[in-house]
């Protein structure tokens, strides 16, 4: 079935509008966070107080039926991601990180737009128009206006929405089951690590007393993707127990310069996240295993280099990511301008229970056994999530090519498309 392909600019009741720049201010008017656009439906609970009055925010109010599009993202797959304001919200505005789309009631059903925006053909158009600057992908507003959507009659749109809601509700339930399984698994692992560390015993020791050095990383204005100079980690490279070496940038600085600045990493160094918008990641740590050397790190990370004769890096890493060590870190977090942080001085005062080196090695081996089992189970949940994502794309592709009927034969069509 073929439907007219109509550019977005001809489907809106008013021109697309960028939001307004806003800063955090206690007691200010509520403005949506970018995380509000993580799903098909905008999460209006994801808001913060901005530095504007109600009158200043009024032109940027969102109402039911508005479609909000993110202006930029570090991931090409997420650039210009859109979410629908499905219900009448309390008074809340949208910031300059979003573009507001208001579909014409006689052209588009808002839910149809939300689903069509996520369809593979639409995403392909969006990604082809994206441009990248300093690692951030963006699609200009004038280019968004040229995105074309298939536009059947309003009655057909409503029927497509009903069919999609039926199919996607099953996938959403499956995704939630997978996510729930992962959460339970993570909770089990956390409990097991805390038990293993507790059995190891030992006396409480401050991280500052274990440190040969503790140092913030270097500031590089715009690390590049071209391999010039020593590789530098991304700010988000550190997650609990995990150091991501798959997405490096380059500092344009040479080994000699970084050696003089004491800014190179060594195997066994611990890296802690110093700043992040998500408190869960602040103070998270991972061990540098030496796979990628030479390597440096940005100023949003803190390097802890241990005295080698007292502490096993992996043991200290476990003890600061879980149990009493993690709870001490959380108690020392500070918030400023929407960012959560921890200073090196506060980190030094965090205490871990430290047994002898032999007992640390034994405890690490025990935890590693549990972590290996976790990894195998995580791979299974990832496969399930990838399959669900493939099926979702197939459902949307079938819907907007007129191949879904709402009957049992839909399953065959979807599975055939998912296999492509």
């Amino acid at each position: 079935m073929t439907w007219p392909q109509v550019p977005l600019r001809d489907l809106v009741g008013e021109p697309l509008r960028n939001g307004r720049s806003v800063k955090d201010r206690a007691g200010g008017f509520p403005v949506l966070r970018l995380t509000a656009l993580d799903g098909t439906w905008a999460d209006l609970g994801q808001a913060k107080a901005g530095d504007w009055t109600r009158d200043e925010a009024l032109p940027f109010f969102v109402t039911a039926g508005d479609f909000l599009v993110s202006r930029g993202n570090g991931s090409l797959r997420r650039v210009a991601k859109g979410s629908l304001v499905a219900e009448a919200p309390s008074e809340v505005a949208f910031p300059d990180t979003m573009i507001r789309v208001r579909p014409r009631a006689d052209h588009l059903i808002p839910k149809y737009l939300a689903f069509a925006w996520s369809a593979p053909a639409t995403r392909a158009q969006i990604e082809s128009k994206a441009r990248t600057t300093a690692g951030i992908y963006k699609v200009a507003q004038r280019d968004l206006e040229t995105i074309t959507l298939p536009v059947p009659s309003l009655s057909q749109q409503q029927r497509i929405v009903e069919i999609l809601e039926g199919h996607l509700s099953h996938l959403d339930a499956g995704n939630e089951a997978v996510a729930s399984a992962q959460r339970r698994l993570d909770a089990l692992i956390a409990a097991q690590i805390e038990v293993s560390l507790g059995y190891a015993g030992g006396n409480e020791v401050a991280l500052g007393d274990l440190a040969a050095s503790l140092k913030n990383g270097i500031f590089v204005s715009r690390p590049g993707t071209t391999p010039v100079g020593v590789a530098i980690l991304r700010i988000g490279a550190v997650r609990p127990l995990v150091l991501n070496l798959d997405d490096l940038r380059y500092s344009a600085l040479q080994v000699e310069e970084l050696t003089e600045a004491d800014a190179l990493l060594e195997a066994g160094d611990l890296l802690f996240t110093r700043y992040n918008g998500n408190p869960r990641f602040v103070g998270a740590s991972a061990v540098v295993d030496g796979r990628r050397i030479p390597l440096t790190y940005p100023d949003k990370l803190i390097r802890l280099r241990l005295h080698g004769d007292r502490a096993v890096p992996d043991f200290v890493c476990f003890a600061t990511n879980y149990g009493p060590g993690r709870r001490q870190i959380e108690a020392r977090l500070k918030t400023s301008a929407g960012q959560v942080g921890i200073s090196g001085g506060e980190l030094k005062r965090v205490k871990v229970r430290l047994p002898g080196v032999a007992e640390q090695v034994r405890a690490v081996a025990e935890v590693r056994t549990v972590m290996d089992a976790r990894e195998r189970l995580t791979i299974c949940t990832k496969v399930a999530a990838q399959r669900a994502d493939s099926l979702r794309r197939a459902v949307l592709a079938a819907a907007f090519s007129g191949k879904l009927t709402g009957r049992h034969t839909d399953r065959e069509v979807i599975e055939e498309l998912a296999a492509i």
Side-chain angles (χ1 to χ4, degrees):
M1 187 178 299
T2 302
W3 295 311
Q5 296 285 325
V6 183
L8 185 62
R9 62 170 171 264
D10 296 336
L11 298 170
V12 294
E14 61 181 58
L16 274 61
R17 180 162 194 169
N18 288 340
R20 170 185 154 167
S21 178
V22 60
K23 297 179 181 178
D24 292 352
R25 189 188 70 189
F29 193 84
V31 58
L32 291 174
R33 299 177 184 272
L34 195 56
T35 51
L37 308 188
D38 282 348
T40 304
W41 320 122
D43 180 1
L44 301 178
Q46 294 287 329
K48 61 182 179 180
D51 63 339
W52 48 12
T53 65
R54 183 182 184 280
D55 287 343
E56 291 171 330
L58 189 59
F60 305 96
F61 275 15
V62 296
T63 61
D66 283 351
F67 189 67
L68 300 174
V69 177
S70 64
R71 293 184 63 193
N73 199 280
S75 167
L76 181 60
R77 287 193 62 187
R78 296 181 62 82
V79 67
K81 182 174 175 57
S83 295
L84 179 69
V85 180
E87 299 177 356
S90 302
E91 291 185 345
V92 65
F94 68 102
D96 62 342
T97 55
M98 301 178 190
I99 296 173
R100 183 178 64 197
V101 180
R102 284 186 165 164
R104 285 178 55 177
D106 59 342
H107 280 52
L108 280 181
I109 294 173
K111 282 188 177 181
Y112 177 88
L113 170 59
F115 286 133
W117 197 256
S118 298
T122 309
R123 285 302 312 171
Q125 292 182 70
I126 292 169
E127 292 174 17
S128 72
K129 296 176 184 295
R131 300 293 180 265
T132 180
T133 303
I136 300 297
Y137 292 95
K138 291 185 177 180
V139 180
Q141 180 177 311
R142 63 180 179 275
D143 290 328
L144 281 181
E145 293 173 345
T146 67
I147 299 293
T148 61
L149 301 172
V151 184
S153 68
L154 292 178
S155 62
Q156 288 175 309
Q157 290 181 37
Q158 184 59 43
R159 177 59 178 155
I160 289 168
V161 167
E162 291 170 357
I163 292 172
L164 281 173
E165 286 181 330
H167 285 299
L168 295 179
S169 65
H170 295 302
L171 281 175
D172 290 341
N175 282 333
E176 177 52 35
V178 170
S180 177
Q182 187 66 56
R183 288 193 295 269
R184 291 196 300 271
L185 177 59
D186 290 342
L188 177 63
I189 294 300
Q192 181 59 56
I193 289 175
E194 193 163 348
V195 166
S196 296
L197 296 182
Y199 281 154
N203 298 316
E204 285 192 339
V205 183
L207 291 183
D209 294 334
L210 296 174
S213 69
L214 190 142
K215 193 173 189 298
N216 293 347
I218 61 170
F219 174 73
V220 176
S221 177
R222 290 189 176 181
T225 55
T226 304
V228 177
V230 172
I232 184 169
L233 291 166
R234 300 295 296 274
I235 291 171
V238 176
R239 292 294 182 259
L241 308 184
V242 177
L243 183 63
N244 182 6
L245 299 175
D246 296 332
D247 188 17
L248 297 173
R249 293 294 185 266
Y250 294 87
S251 66
L253 299 171
Q254 302 305 312
V255 168
E256 294 76 16
E257 299 173 84
L258 294 169
T259 299
E260 185 176 347
D262 188 24
L264 288 174
L265 294 170
E266 297 178 0
D269 286 345
L270 272 75
L271 284 172
F272 290 82
T273 300
R274 189 163 71 95
Y275 274 104
N276 197 282
N278 187 337
R280 187 164 65 92
F281 297 138
V282 180
S285 64
V287 176
V288 178
D289 61 12
R291 283 178 293 156
R292 179 65 188 258
I293 297 292
L295 183 67
T296 188
Y297 61 110
D299 60 348
K300 295 297 189 294
L301 302 179
I302 302 174
R303 183 195 70 194
L304 170 63
R305 185 165 290 164
L306 299 167
H307 288 295
D309 59 343
R310 294 191 62 189
V312 175
D314 283 327
F315 185 91
V316 176
C317 190
F318 291 142
T320 51
N321 279 294
Y322 296 95
R326 178 60 197 174
R327 290 191 283 276
Q328 290 177 66
I329 288 175
E330 290 173 348
R332 297 173 184 276
L333 301 183
K334 307 295 182 184
T335 301
S336 175
Q339 291 288 303
V340 183
I342 188 167
S343 68
E346 291 291 340
L347 203 56
K348 283 182 177 180
R349 286 189 276 274
V350 171
K351 294 182 178 181
V352 296
R353 190 171 292 279
L354 197 72
V357 170
E359 186 60 23
Q360 290 179 54
V361 171
R362 186 206 63 76
V364 166
E366 182 177 289
V367 171
R368 283 294 176 200
T369 299
V370 178
M371 294 294 293
D372 288 344
R374 175 187 184 275
E375 182 61 25
R376 290 192 293 272
L377 290 172
T378 298
I379 289 171
C380 293
T381 60
K382 284 182 178 179
V383 169
Q386 290 167 356
R387 175 62 175 165
D389 186 52
S390 177
L391 285 171
R392 187 180 187 87
R393 291 196 303 271
V395 168
L396 292 166
F400 295 103
S401 58
K403 295 179 180 178
L404 293 187
T405 64
R407 295 191 290 270
H408 70 279
T409 53
D410 284 354
R411 180 175 179 177
E412 297 174 6
V413 173
I414 293 166
E415 290 187 347
E416 181 178 349
L417 287 172
I420 294 175

